[in-house]
């Protein structure tokens, strides 16, 4: 167990820089999720920490040791791969014991460790099976068992749940989180699924195109996204954006979209009259309103039972709303809504950064 | 109505092996059986002839043996003792077995390095291998004969290993390369993180996984080596060992003094091992042919 | 004699166990030396440690001889003087023309015959339940050496003048119907085809295996769709199956062309090139050992290589497109 520090880490592939000076501080025992769209460099970054990719610039420090020139096998980390990468020709027990065997651990001690890990993961009865005889979820557990037995300083997970079906994914999500709580081992977890990131992480690192866009606790990222990319990426359905400018009405700021829709703002926002902004609000932060609300036109209604998702046209922008109430109006009918001004995010349209 | 609809077999899917009309079915079976019979006939003729008496062979065709059965083991005794087929078989084993094992090991090493290691010239090397796949053996003979004489390995069995291994390596690397490339990279990486060295990964991950394809290559290498006439004919001259079985047979076939019987017995003895191997290991043979063929 | 009999088991142990152990140990030593290198150098040096033995062998057994043979082909019989293109002029003149003609016949007739027969067997086998058994029988001869194949077919082709009892299987069969016996190995042109057929018998199994697996890979959906569209068996074969297995047919063709190019054993054992059946590879052997003319032999070998070159280029092209995917 130990902390991990990335200091200005860069990676270049055949002239293309794909990691641009990433710096992240990961505390001892912390569960950190690297999240971002595919191609953002999150997996590459993880593989650099693992030692499977060269570090072209900057430093990676695990514990008190800078590991740039340390071989993967000597970094004292364990990794769970997307495909699980179990050895097909070895039994579950042998799969888990392989690293211990290579360390020269005596057989009895090896067996003890394997059994302990198997008990934690409920793999006891499966120890003599081969990977091909097991289900996806079981293989996933073996892959974790292989990591656990080594008792490493850091666990690395590379999209470990993406090969499982939806139901199992939710189950394993909880299980991995519980396991990490129990073992208190520093964990770095890569995923493209923002729900996994939100539910599992102590800290989320949102990446795009080899750059860290934001690094904070899940709720802070949700409530205070630094920029439009993070705001759009985290949260499902995605945040609504409307472009326009600030209009002062009697000293109070309001927002006017380019097509003339007026939207409310809270009084304490620090903006100037006429300032161009992007008005962002999450689908769950709109309420149904009476005819004094903003008029929209319904495109599609998707009831999920517990709530209702409505896609609608507001002026010329398409927005999404999620309501606790049932919406029974037909497609094409008008719907009056109002964004909650306290939970509106304003962004600079040029820098896409959050304004205050 | 719905009841009858669902029970009607009319909507049953068309099957690949659609029921042929009775006449064409008869023709298909007829042709296939005829083919099998005619393909087997030469081997059957060999087997029968090898058990016939000299006098019978000189007087009538082999099929008379079915009408007037009169068999003997004499041809086999002759072949083994006088024609030194026993010695020839031993020499052939001494050539083919090591050739096979060394070929498989070196091919695996080469294929592993070629697939798993990044280096300059990797593509060029692969292409060179592919190009060398079609080299006719004849073009290598003159310089190698000179070389073998210079180094004094002409007429030695290890000299034959050297030639056959070197000549089969491009195919071996090529065949195993395809298999090793099909093992997911994450498996090697997992082994690396588990603390395995390159050599350990090679021994504990690659070798066990590649066992079936190694068997395929091994079978093919063995058959080639065992059946090769040209190499031992040229490079085993002046050897103190008995000639390998192909060379011995070729010599026997060109001189008629021994009579047909012993030659047939000798020939049958020479094909027993390969025939047994191909029947016992047919699925590896198929894999080797397809693995080698599909890729090039 | 006694000497060799004790020596041979020793040789087998040395070659089958000793050398592999040595090779593995050498890798271990190589890795040990690599460990003393700095990481970057280690990684770039490692492939060469692993590849050194295979590359060394291939250079020694294939590359160097090819280059040396090309050089020798421009020299005289005793390789002590340059003679320019003389050897090549000889290679395409006089008796060599017949030899080359025979090789061309092999190059065309053998692959074609194999492909056609293999297509027929693969399609028909696919329709019978005892397919595995039929395939096994087709594959059996592929285990037999060309030498043994020649002996086996010597008995098939055996010929006695008309009016005498026929011992050869084929002539014996023909005599049942009162057909005059044929001197299969002596009659010009017929004898070439007789030799080619031996090779077909020996190699057909490989082609059948490749094509029948290709046919099984043609999607059932596609065949069924064609059937629903009203296509009969022949239509399905020519419009659906054949176009889809064309790559495999090409593989068979190229494999067999290479085999035809190298053919030596059959001719050497059955006719030794007499009666107008000589081929390049056998002639090369003759030039080398009977005539001691290294220049001629080398030129012939280079001609063989050049003939194989188009196939090599096709293979390279295919490999590149596959690697590029």
């Amino acid at each position: 167990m130990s902390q991990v520090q990335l200091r200005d880490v860069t990676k270049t592939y055949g002239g293309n820089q794909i990691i641009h000076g990433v710096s992240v501080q990961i505390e001892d025992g912390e569960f950190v999720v690297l999240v971002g769209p595919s191609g953002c460099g999150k997996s590459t970054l993880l593989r650099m920490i693992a030692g499977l990719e060269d570090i072209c610039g900057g430093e990676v420090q695990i514990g008190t040791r800078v590991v740039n020139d340390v071989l993967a096998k000597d970094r004292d980390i364990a990794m769970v791969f997307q495909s699980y990468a179990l050895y097909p020709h070895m039994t579950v027990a042998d799969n888990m014991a392989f690293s211990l065997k290579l360390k020269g651990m005596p057989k009895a001690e090896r067996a003890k460790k394997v059994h302990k890990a198997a008990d934690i993961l409920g793999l006891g009865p499966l120890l003599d099976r081969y990977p091909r005889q097991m289900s996806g979820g079981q293989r996933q557990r073996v892959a974790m068992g292989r990591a656990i037995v080594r008792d490493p300083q850091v666990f690395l997970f590379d999209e470990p749940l993406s090969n499982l079906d939806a139901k199992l994914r939710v189950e394993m999500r909880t299980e991995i989180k519980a396991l990490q709580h129990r073992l208190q081992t520093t964990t770095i977890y890569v995923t493209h699924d923002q729900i996994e990131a939100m539910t599992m992480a102590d800290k989320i690192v949102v990446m795009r195109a080899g750059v860290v866009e934001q690094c904070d606790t899940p709720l802070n990222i949700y409530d205070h996204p630094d920029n439009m990319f993070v705001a759009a990426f985290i949260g499902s359905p995605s945040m609504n954006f409307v472009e326009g400018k600030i209009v002062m009405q009697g000293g109070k700021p309001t927002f006017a979209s380019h097509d003339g829709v007026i939207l409310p703002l809270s009084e304490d926002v620090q903006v100037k009259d006429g300032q161009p902004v992007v008005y962002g609000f999450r689908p769950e932060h709109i309420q149904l309103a009476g005819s004094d609300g903003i008029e929209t036109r319904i495109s599609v209604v998707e009831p999920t039972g517990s709530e209702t998702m409505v896609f609608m046209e507001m002026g010329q922008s398409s927005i999404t709303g999620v309501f606790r109430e049932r919406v029974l109006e037909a497609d094409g009918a008008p719907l009056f809504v109002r964004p909650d001004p306290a939970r509106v995010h304003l962004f600079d349209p040029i820098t896409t950064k959050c304004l205050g | 109505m719905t009841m009858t609809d669902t029970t009607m077999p009319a909507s049953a899917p068309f099957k690949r092996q659609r029921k042929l009309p009775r006449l064409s079915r008869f023709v298909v079976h007829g042709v296939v059986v005829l083919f099998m019979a005619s393909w087997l006939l030469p081997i059957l003729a060999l087997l029968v002839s090898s058990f016939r008496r000299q006098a019978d062979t000189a007087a009538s065709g082999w099929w008379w043996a079915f009408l007037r059965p009169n068999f003997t083991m004499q041809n086999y005794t002759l072949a083994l003792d006088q024609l030194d087929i026993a010695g020839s078989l031993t020499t052939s084993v001494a050539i083919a077995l090591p050739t096979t094992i060394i070929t498989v090991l070196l091919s695996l090493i080469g294929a592993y390095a070629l697939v798993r290691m990044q280096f300059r010239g990797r593509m060029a090397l692969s292409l060179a291998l592919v190009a060398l796949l079609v080299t006719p053996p004849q073009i290598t003979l003159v310089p190698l004969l000179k070389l073998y004489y210079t180094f004094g390995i002409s007429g030695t069995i290890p000299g034959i290993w050297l030639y056959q291994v070197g000549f089969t390596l491009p195919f071996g690397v090529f065949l195993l390369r395809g298999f090793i490339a099909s093992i997911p990279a994450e498996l090697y990486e997992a082994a690396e993180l588990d603390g395995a060295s390159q050599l350990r990964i090679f021994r504990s991950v690659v070798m066990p996984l590649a066992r079936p394809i190694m068997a395929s290559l091994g079978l093919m290498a063995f058959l080639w080596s065992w059946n090769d006439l040209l190499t031992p004919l040229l490079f085993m001259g002046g050897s103190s060992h008995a000639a390998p079985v192909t060379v011995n047979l070729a010599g026997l076939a060109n001189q008629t003094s021994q009579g047909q019987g012993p030659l047939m017995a000798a020939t049958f003895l020479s094909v027993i091992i390969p025939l047994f191997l191909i029947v016992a290991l047919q699925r590896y043979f198929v894999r080797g042919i397809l693995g080698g063929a599909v890729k090039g | 004699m006694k000497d060799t009999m004790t020596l041979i088991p020793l040789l087998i142990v040395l070659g089958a166990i000793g050398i592999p152990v040595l090779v593995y140990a050498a890798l271990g030593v190589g890795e040990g030396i690599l460990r003393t290198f700095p990481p970057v150098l280690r990684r770039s040096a490692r492939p060469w440690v692993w590849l050194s033995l295979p590359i060394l062998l291939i250079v020694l057994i294939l590359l160097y001889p090819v280059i040396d043979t090309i050089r020798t082909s421009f020299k005289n019989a005793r390789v002590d003087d340059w003679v320019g293109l003389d050897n090549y002029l000889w290679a395409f003149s006089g008796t060599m023309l017949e030899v080359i003609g025979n090789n061309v016949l092999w190059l065309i007739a053998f692959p074609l015959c194999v492909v056609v027969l293999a297509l027929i067997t693969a399609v028909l086998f696919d329709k019978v339940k005892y397919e595995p058994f039929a395939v096994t029988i087709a594959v059996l001869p592929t285990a037999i050496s060309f030498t043994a194949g020649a002996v086996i077919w010597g008995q098939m082709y055996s010929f006695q003048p008309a009016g005498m009892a026929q011992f050869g299987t084929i002539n014996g069969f023909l005599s049942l119907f009162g057909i005059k016996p044929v001197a299969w190995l002596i009659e010009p042109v017929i004898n070439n085809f007789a030799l080619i057929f031996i090779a077909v018998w020996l190699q057909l199994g490989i082609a059948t295996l490749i094509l029948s697996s290709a046919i099984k890979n043609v999607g059932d959906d596609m065949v069924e769709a064609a059937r629903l569209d009203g296509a009969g068996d022949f239509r399905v074969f020519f419009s659906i199956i054949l176009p889809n297995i064309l790559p495999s047919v090409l593989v068979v063709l190229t494999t067999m062309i290479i085999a035809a190019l190298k053919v030596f054993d059959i001719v050497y054992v059955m006719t030794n090139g007499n009666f107008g059946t000589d081929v390049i590879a056998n002639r090369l052997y003759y030039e080398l050992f009977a005539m001691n003319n290294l220049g001629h032999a080398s030129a012939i070998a280079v001609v063989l290589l050049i003939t194989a070159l188009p196939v090599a280029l096709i293979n390279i092209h295919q490999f590149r497109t596959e690697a590029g995917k």
Side-chain angles (χ1 to χ4, degrees):
Chain A
M1 273 178 273
S2 52
Q3 45 177 295
V4 176
Q5 287 178 63
L6 310 181
R7 282 190 289 270
D8 203 22
V9 171
T10 62
K11 172 87 189 169
T12 311
Y13 254 140
N16 294 332
Q17 190 160 12
I18 52 167
I19 303 282
H20 302 268
V22 166
S23 299
V24 177
Q25 166 84 29
I26 296 162
E27 300 304 333
D28 187 12
E30 205 169 24
F31 194 120
V32 170
V33 173
L34 304 181
V35 70
S38 60
C40 72
K42 57 191 189 297
S43 276
T44 308
L45 193 60
L46 190 78
R47 292 166 58 83
M48 287 162 79
I49 299 170
L52 297 172
E53 301 275 355
D54 284 333
I55 297 159
C56 297
E59 276 182 347
V60 173
Q61 183 176 331
I62 299 175
T64 53
R65 194 162 59 137
V66 173
V67 295
N68 284 34
D69 290 327
V70 178
L71 283 178
K73 59 178 180 147
D74 300 324
R75 291 192 184 186
D76 200 10
I77 42 109
M79 185 153 167
V80 174
F81 291 89
Q82 180 173 359
S83 67
Y84 319 137
L86 302 180
Y87 309 117
H89 57 293
M90 297 186 196
T91 62
V92 168
D94 289 341
N95 259 287
M96 301 210 291
F98 188 57
S99 62
L100 305 178
K101 196 168 153 191
L102 292 176
K103 266 190 216 159
M105 187 181 284
K107 205 169 174 181
E109 202 177 328
R110 248 158 41 202
K112 218 171 82 187
K113 285 217 166 203
V114 167
H115 276 103
K116 198 175 147 211
D119 284 344
I120 295 175
L121 293 161
L123 287 170
L126 302 178
L127 281 177
D128 291 327
R129 295 248 187 114
Y130 285 90
R132 62 173 176 275
Q133 301 167 318
M134 299 195 296
S135 69
Q138 288 167 334
R139 284 182 216 180
Q140 164 70 59
R141 282 204 179 90
V142 177
M144 293 203 301
R146 195 165 62 175
I148 291 173
V149 289
R150 296 182 48 188
D151 198 11
Q153 291 191 60
V154 184
F155 282 139
L156 305 177
F157 288 85
D158 189 6
E159 307 237 9
L161 303 183
S162 53
N163 284 354
L164 299 177
D165 63 51
K167 186 166 171 283
L168 208 50
R169 198 150 43 196
V170 175
E171 267 174 48
M172 290 306 295
R173 207 159 77 190
T174 324
E175 215 167 298
I176 292 177
K177 191 170 180 184
L179 187 71
Q180 199 267 343
H181 270 272
R182 173 169 169 179
L183 299 173
Q184 284 297 314
T185 305
T186 312
T187 300
I188 306 174
Y189 185 109
V190 162
T191 181
H192 62 272
D193 179 351
Q194 53 92 18
I195 295 183
E196 260 172 45
M198 289 296 291
T199 50
M200 300 173 85
D202 295 327
K203 187 156 85 190
I204 294 180
V205 178
V206 183
M207 289 184 67
R208 178 175 59 160
V211 174
V212 172
E213 294 285 344
Q214 192 170 0
C215 171
D216 210 331
T217 63
L219 291 181
N220 274 345
I221 285 193
Y222 182 83
D223 290 337
H224 307 289
D226 275 353
N227 55 44
M228 285 172 67
F229 172 76
V230 176
F233 190 79
I234 299 291
S236 172
S238 205
M239 185 183 278
N240 298 302
F241 294 114
V242 182
E243 286 188 36
K245 59 175 195 267
I246 301 293
V247 177
M248 288 296 182
Q249 285 185 341
K252 289 180 189 167
T254 57
F255 169 84
S257 78
H258 291 323
D259 46 16
V261 180
I262 304 292
L263 295 168
L265 284 171
S266 67
E267 290 178 23
D268 54 349
V269 291
Q270 301 296 312
V271 283
K272 294 191 284 280
D273 187 26
Q275 183 180 357
V277 293
V278 175
Y279 185 96
F281 56 100
R282 295 195 181 276
E284 53 271 38
H285 296 151
I286 328 179
Q287 291 123 26
L288 294 179
S291 53
D292 59 334
I294 295 133
E295 186 179 344
T296 67
R297 196 160 295 277
I298 297 177
S299 312
V300 178
V301 177
E302 286 183 355
T304 64
S306 61
E307 52 198 18
T308 310
M309 201 175 335
V310 182
F311 300 92
M312 51 206 145
E313 301 295 328
M314 185 175 73
Q316 270 144 38
S317 9
S318 304
I319 62 167
T320 314
V322 174
F323 307 105
R324 304 295 305 178
E325 301 86 351
R326 301 254 157 125
V327 175
L328 300 171
E329 279 86 345
D331 296 353
L335 188 71
F336 292 91
V337 296
R338 181 183 298 119
D340 177 358
R343 314 199 69 161
V344 161
H345 307 269
L346 290 182
F347 300 97
D348 184 304
I350 311 241
T351 65
T352 78
K353 290 259 185 289
C354 188
L355 297 170
Chain B
M1 278 304 274
T2 42
M3 279 303 286
T4 51
D5 273 359
T6 48
T7 47
M8 282 274 277
S11 60
F14 282 67
K15 281 181 68 181
R16 174 64 162 273
Q17 284 175 8
R18 200 177 47 129
K19 273 263 187 284
L20 294 166
R22 184 173 266 241
L23 179 68
S24 29
R25 217 165 28 177
F26 183 75
V27 171
V28 166
H29 284 298
V31 172
V32 172
V33 170
L34 190 70
F35 168 85
M36 293 198 298
S38 55
W39 235 240
L40 212 50
L41 190 70
I43 301 177
L44 181 73
L46 171 74
L47 183 63
V48 171
S49 301
S50 71
F51 285 108
R52 294 186 81 208
R53 291 176 185 281
Q54 282 293 42
D56 295 342
T57 309
S60 60
W62 60 272
W63 52 92
W64 286 95
F66 291 109
L67 305 170
R68 295 185 217 120
N70 190 3
F71 295 113
T72 174
M73 288 298 290
Q74 201 196 3
N75 294 327
Y76 284 90
T77 337
L78 267 176
L80 287 172
D81 293 347
Q82 287 186 17
L83 309 183
D84 199 16
I85 291 298
S88 288
L89 290 174
T90 323
T91 305
S92 281
V93 171
I95 290 175
L97 204 61
T99 292
T100 304
I101 294 175
I102 301 170
T103 302
V104 171
L105 179 66
L106 285 180
S107 300
L108 193 66
I109 290 173
Y112 176 64
L114 212 51
V115 173
R116 283 298 305 160
M117 297 174 191
Q118 313 280 339
F119 58 96
R120 263 171 177 282
R122 188 162 76 143
M123 191 62 184
L125 207 58
S126 305
L127 288 178
L129 278 179
V130 174
L132 286 172
L133 281 178
V134 300
T135 318
Q138 285 87 0
I139 197 166
T140 63
L141 299 180
V142 180
L144 281 182
L145 273 173
K146 279 189 286 183
L147 207 67
Y148 270 43
Y149 275 113
T150 317
F151 288 99
I153 50 172
S154 179
T156 66
I157 288 178
I160 308 285
W161 298 340
L162 185 68
Y163 180 85
Q164 291 182 336
V165 171
F167 199 79
T168 322
L169 259 182
F171 176 81
V173 172
F174 188 66
L175 180 67
L176 298 188
R177 196 191 150 278
F179 176 82
I180 289 178
S182 74
I183 302 177
E186 289 192 342
L187 203 60
Y188 301 112
E189 291 170 355
E192 216 173 297
L193 290 179
D194 270 348
S197 64
Q198 286 291 330
L199 206 58
R200 185 71 195 219
I201 295 176
F202 181 74
R203 195 180 80 213
S204 299
V205 178
V206 178
M207 266 202 194
L209 287 179
R211 230 177 258 153
I213 197 79
M214 283 163 72
S216 304
L217 175 60
L219 178 61
M220 299 181 89
F222 185 90
L223 289 179
W224 282 332
S225 171
W226 183 273
N227 290 337
D228 189 11
L229 170 66
L230 190 60
T231 318
L233 192 61
L234 291 177
F235 293 94
M236 281 292 280
S239 162
S240 58
H241 304 293
V245 78
T246 42
V247 176
N248 197 342
L249 269 190
L252 288 176
N254 282 336
Q255 43 156 320
T256 44
S257 60
Q258 289 295 334
Q260 283 286 301
L263 175 61
M264 292 299 157
T267 306
F268 192 73
L269 285 171
S270 85
V271 299
I272 287 178
I273 294 181
L275 281 182
F276 171 77
L277 284 178
I278 209 161
V279 171
L281 304 175
Q282 198 187 343
R283 95 194 143 96
Y284 294 111
F285 183 70
V286 173
R287 219 181 140 151
I289 294 278
L290 295 181
V294 172
K295 297 276 169 62
Chain C
M1 189 69 200
K2 205 174 142 211
D3 189 43
T4 47
M5 273 324 194
T6 51
L7 189 64
I8 284 200
L10 208 76
L11 266 177
I12 296 180
V13 170
L14 171 75
I17 301 170
I19 293 182
V21 168
L22 271 179
V23 168
Y24 188 82
L27 265 188
V29 171
E31 279 287 321
I33 294 172
L34 283 178
R35 217 159 291 155
T36 63
F37 287 15
V40 178
L41 190 62
R42 187 186 312 163
R43 200 154 351 137
S44 57
R46 174 170 284 136
W48 303 110
V49 169
W50 283 67
L51 287 169
S52 59
L53 260 178
I55 289 181
L56 185 75
L57 265 176
I58 290 173
V59 167
L60 186 73
I61 300 297
L62 283 169
L63 217 54
Y64 155 73
V66 167
I67 293 165
D68 194 61
T69 300
I70 293 175
R71 230 168 40 123
T72 311
S73 72
F74 296 107
K75 292 190 168 185
N76 65 4
R78 296 173 52 206
V79 205
D80 48 18
D81 201 9
W82 298 96
V83 293
L85 289 173
D86 281 7
N87 291 325
Y88 290 95
L89 291 177
W90 167 83
F92 290 99
S93 65
T95 55
M96 279 306 292
L97 286 180
E98 187 193 69
V99 174
I100 288 177
N102 285 338
N103 258 85
V104 171
L105 183 68
W106 272 87
L107 279 176
I108 296 169
F110 172 65
L112 220 60
C113 198
V114 167
V115 165
V116 170
L117 263 180
L119 276 175
I120 294 173
T121 51
V123 169
L124 292 185
F125 287 3
D126 194 37
K127 294 189 187 301
V128 298
K129 284 211 188 74
Y130 44 93
E131 178 177 14
F133 182 59
V135 168
T136 303
I137 288 189
V139 163
L140 275 185
T142 60
I144 294 174
S145 65
F146 278 40
T147 315
V151 173
I152 291 170
W153 279 82
Q155 179 168 252
M156 300 295 285
Y157 288 144
S158 171
F159 162 81
Q160 304 290 320
M164 295 175 72
Q166 296 298 326
F167 303 157
T169 314
I170 299 175
N171 280 331
F173 186 73
L174 291 180
S175 68
L176 280 183
F177 303 97
I179 300 173
K180 269 205 301 185
V182 179
W184 296 106
L185 297 176
I186 295 169
E187 202 72 47
V189 188
I190 289 181
N191 54 8
N192 272 311
F193 283 101
L195 295 183
I196 288 173
F197 191 77
I198 303 178
V200 172
W201 181 71
L202 286 162
Q203 297 283 290
L204 183 74
I206 291 174
T208 304
L209 278 180
I210 295 175
L211 293 186
S212 81
S213 116
I215 286 178
K216 285 189 183 15
N217 280 337
V218 176
D220 275 347
D221 297 351
M222 219 188 313
V223 174
E224 278 158 19
R227 287 254 153 82
L228 287 170
D229 286 344
D233 278 331
F234 282 91
R235 191 86 227 173
V236 165
F237 177 76
F238 284 105
S239 305
I240 309 289
I241 294 180
L242 196 56
N244 273 292
I245 63 169
L246 219 52
S248 297
V249 172
L250 270 181
V251 168
V252 171
L253 269 179
T254 53
T255 314
M256 295 304 151
I257 285 173
I258 293 299
L261 209 60
K262 295 177 188 171
V263 67
F264 162 74
D265 319 37
I266 294 177
V267 176
Y268 175 76
V269 174
M270 299 231 60
T271 63
N272 200 10
N274 293 315
F275 317 118
T277 57
D278 213 357
V279 289
I280 294 181
N282 190 58
R283 186 58 190 257
L284 185 147
Y285 184 77
Y286 172 79
E287 288 295 332
L288 201 52
F289 288 95
M291 307 300 288
N292 274 319
N293 192 326
L294 295 187
H296 281 180
S298 298
I300 298 179
V302 174
V303 170
L304 272 184
L305 182 73
I306 291 171
T307 323
L309 226 50
V311 176
L313 292 177
I314 292 173
N315 281 350
I316 286 180
H317 177 76
Q318 221 170 356
F319 182 82
R320 288 192 94 136
T321 36
E322 232 163 75
K325 269 180 201 165

